[in-house]
Amino acid sequence: LERNYKWSMHVAQRDGEEEVLIFAGKITKINSRGRRQKRLVAVTNRAMYNLTDRVEVNRRVDLTKIESVTTSQKSQEFVVHVPSEYDYWFESELRQMVISALRENGIHIREHSVPEPKLKEYVQVKSKGDGEEKRRVDLPELPALKYVCSFSDLKDKRAHIRAELVTTEQSYCKSLVRFLAEYAYPLDVERNKNSLMQNRNKWVDIFDNFENIVRFHCDFFCPDLQKCLRNEGRTEPIVSAYTWATGKKEKSKARSAPASRVFRGVSHRTSISATEGVVDKVADESKGTILVGKKKETTDIGMAFNKRVTLLKTVYEPYLAGWTKLQEAVKKLNQKSKYNKYLLSKQGETGLSISSFLIMPIQRVPRYVLLIRELVKHTDEEHPEYSSLQRALKSIQKIAKVCDSHIK
């Protein structure tokens, strides 16, 4: 599970709350009607997760909300009690491993056993409207940046390269989001009931990995780069994700991205406003930090890369591994008249074919190598960022080699 890119994305977006995986395994969940279903359950040092086979989060329960666990003395059944929400009723030979994982960091969680083999009477069921048994009640918003940075009066070549890293990353994010808004999401039957593609699994096979790359860049990587330079230029908040990406007015059913991070149906609200970073900051690049209020933030581009390079690799690997299969899938779409007509109309609207958008992630990573290499060249060896830039260059070069092999 730790190597799964969706799990990595979910844990990464809980910024400031380091989560360490303690247990992961398939166990039997029993619903209120007594129906048994195999579920992938994970326990971290902060929460218990109920995951789908696609490693999408159905429910996250913070350990602080778990009061106790009831176990049967005559069967493998056990109930995880969550008084503020509703309980989980399980059955598994791995019962003690799950309980030990919960209590390792939830030391307040009590365990008590009862003689009954069936524990239904001990289960607090969900109220109507909780609806976890339904598939995702709400889909993730269209991804977007919170703001865009612009630069002028840059003092030297090094400053220009740093600015280019941010501005090209912003443009890259905009192009990726535009593809979702204009090509991919209209084909998603869960977003558009009149979609040409009524098979949701088919949509997932073609677009899911791409969508996760978009969320990685909009939610994590680009904001990290922006924070390194936002004191050196102007910032302008993005009000509508759809308008920012497409240049068109918001459609009535389209939703703009809120100040939150959303991944596969799970939203983690932040208190950061759209104008974050516009005021109350003092910069000292020589020390590699920005003071925003009382919080220190780095201006070190290399450090920003090193912070996210492992997640970048994890997110890009499935896309690169499936590149040949993806090209074949697009070819098959074009061979069907209804899809060919749709794709040609979208190409006319955007000025780019579906293939031109899909290859963007493969082309972007080698571009990082060129820019970082140039930045290293114009950074003095005594500069505090020099060593972190060297590490970033070596790390990104490894991923770029894989991308280059697909471009050729």
Side-chain angles (χ1 to χ4, degrees):
L1 185 62
E2 287 179 309
R3 294 190 296 273
N4 182 277
Y5 69 102
K6 288 187 178 180
W7 175 256
S8 298
M9 285 277 285
H10 177 73
V11 174
Q13 74 182 31
R14 305 194 65 77
D15 209 3
E17 293 185 28
E18 182 181 359
E19 292 203 51
V20 179
L21 185 64
I22 300 171
F23 168 86
K26 280 202 168 184
I27 65 177
T28 300
K29 173 180 171 290
I30 310 173
N31 68 16
S32 58
R33 297 182 296 278
R35 181 184 173 191
R36 285 164 163 74
Q37 307 157 310
K38 281 291 184 180
R39 284 286 187 266
L40 177 58
V41 171
V43 178
T44 72
N45 59 326
R46 293 185 176 274
M48 181 178 73
Y49 292 84
N50 175 14
L51 306 167
T52 69
D53 288 339
R54 292 184 182 274
V55 196
E56 298 165 359
V57 179
N58 272 334
R59 184 186 179 195
R60 179 185 188 275
V61 181
D62 197 283
L63 294 184
T64 59
K65 293 184 178 181
I66 299 175
E67 182 181 83
S68 61
V69 180
T70 298
T71 60
S72 169
Q73 298 170 3
K74 297 180 180 179
S75 72
Q76 296 293 340
E77 290 191 10
F78 65 106
V79 180
V80 177
H81 297 287
V82 190
S84 62
E85 297 176 8
Y86 55 89
D87 297 344
Y88 263 139
W89 181 13
F90 293 116
E91 181 182 43
S92 175
E93 294 179 353
L94 303 176
R95 178 176 74 179
Q96 202 53 48
M97 293 179 65
V98 176
I99 295 171
S100 295
L102 290 171
R103 299 189 71 193
E104 183 174 328
N105 288 278
I107 56 175
H108 64 283
I109 298 173
R110 305 188 312 276
E111 179 184 355
H112 53 90
S113 62
V114 295
E116 292 88 346
K118 303 295 181 183
L119 301 183
K120 184 174 182 178
E121 64 181 274
Y122 292 92
V123 181
Q124 174 184 301
V125 299
K126 70 186 72 174
S127 60
K128 291 182 179 180
D130 283 333
E132 186 203 339
E133 297 302 323
K134 299 178 182 178
R135 286 296 294 138
R136 290 185 300 276
V137 175
D138 194 17
L139 289 166
E141 304 281 352
L142 182 66
L145 302 175
K146 294 181 179 69
Y147 57 85
V148 290
C149 301
S150 59
F151 307 93
S152 60
D153 301 323
L154 297 169
K155 57 186 179 181
D156 54 28
K157 180 66 174 177
R158 186 173 186 278
H160 277 276
I161 299 168
R162 283 165 54 85
E164 186 177 356
L165 263 167
V166 172
T167 55
T168 57
E169 182 69 14
Q170 290 174 167
S171 297
Y172 175 53
C173 288
K174 184 176 180 178
S175 295
L176 299 184
V177 175
R178 186 179 190 188
F179 176 75
L180 290 183
E182 302 219 60
Y183 268 94
Y185 281 179
L187 287 175
D188 184 357
V189 69
E190 289 193 10
R191 294 175 183 273
N192 174 19
K193 65 180 181 180
N194 298 318
S195 166
L196 293 175
M197 194 175 287
Q198 289 295 303
N199 184 339
R200 220 287 164 146
N201 288 332
K202 186 175 184 179
W203 188 94
V204 169
D205 288 341
I206 297 174
F207 300 112
D208 191 56
N209 288 334
F210 187 97
E211 183 184 27
N212 280 299
I213 287 175
V214 184
R215 295 194 180 281
F216 165 73
H217 284 275
C218 287
D219 287 351
F220 308 115
F221 195 57
C222 189
D224 286 349
L225 294 180
Q226 288 177 321
K227 288 174 185 177
C228 292
L229 277 84
R230 65 185 178 186
N231 67 302
E232 299 173 27
R234 297 177 65 252
T235 59
E236 182 179 349
I238 293 173
V239 178
S240 162
Y242 184 84
T243 301
W244 166 66
T246 66
K248 302 174 183 177
K249 288 185 178 181
E250 188 87 20
K251 294 181 178 179
S252 58
K253 292 184 180 180
R255 296 171 293 179
S256 59
S260 65
R261 289 172 177 171
V262 190
F263 180 61
R264 307 305 296 171
V266 179
S267 173
H268 306 295
R269 294 278 167 184
T270 70
S271 60
I272 300 172
S273 69
T275 56
E276 174 193 10
V278 177
V279 295
D280 194 23
K281 57 183 178 242
V282 180
D284 186 351
E285 190 194 359
S286 65
K287 294 182 180 178
T289 60
I290 299 175
L291 301 180
V292 182
K294 295 182 179 179
K295 184 180 178 182
K296 281 191 175 183
E297 292 183 344
T298 182
T299 62
D300 189 336
I301 289 281
M303 191 178 294
F305 267 85
N306 294 325
K307 176 184 176 182
R308 299 296 186 188
V309 71
T310 300
L311 184 55
L312 185 149
K313 182 176 182 288
T314 303
V315 173
Y316 271 72
E317 275 182 343
Y319 192 76
L320 298 174
W323 177 244
T324 300
K325 184 179 177 181
L326 178 59
Q327 288 178 301
E328 292 171 355
V330 171
K331 184 178 180 181
K332 288 180 180 179
L333 284 182
N334 272 309
Q335 290 171 349
K336 296 183 178 181
S337 59
K338 64 176 183 178
Y339 290 121
N340 179 257
K341 184 178 179 181
Y342 173 83
L343 295 177
L344 286 176
S345 68
K346 293 300 179 182
Q347 182 174 337
E349 292 175 19
T350 63
L352 292 173
S353 67
I354 184 173
S355 296
S356 297
F357 278 106
L358 292 176
I359 202 172
M360 285 181 180
I362 292 176
Q363 294 173 327
R364 180 59 182 166
V365 176
R367 181 66 176 161
Y368 292 139
V369 174
L370 296 176
L371 289 168
I372 297 175
R373 184 183 290 143
E374 192 70 9
L375 187 54
V376 170
K377 180 181 175 182
H378 290 86
T379 301
D380 190 88
E381 291 186 14
E382 302 301 317
H383 195 284
E385 294 183 15
Y386 187 80
S387 60
S388 63
L389 287 171
Q390 288 278 30
R391 290 197 305 273
L393 180 58
K394 289 179 182 178
S395 299
I396 207 71
Q397 279 177 327
K398 294 177 182 178
I399 306 172
K401 284 182 180 178
V402 182
C403 293
D404 282 337
S405 67
H406 289 291
I407 294 174
K408 294 173 182 177

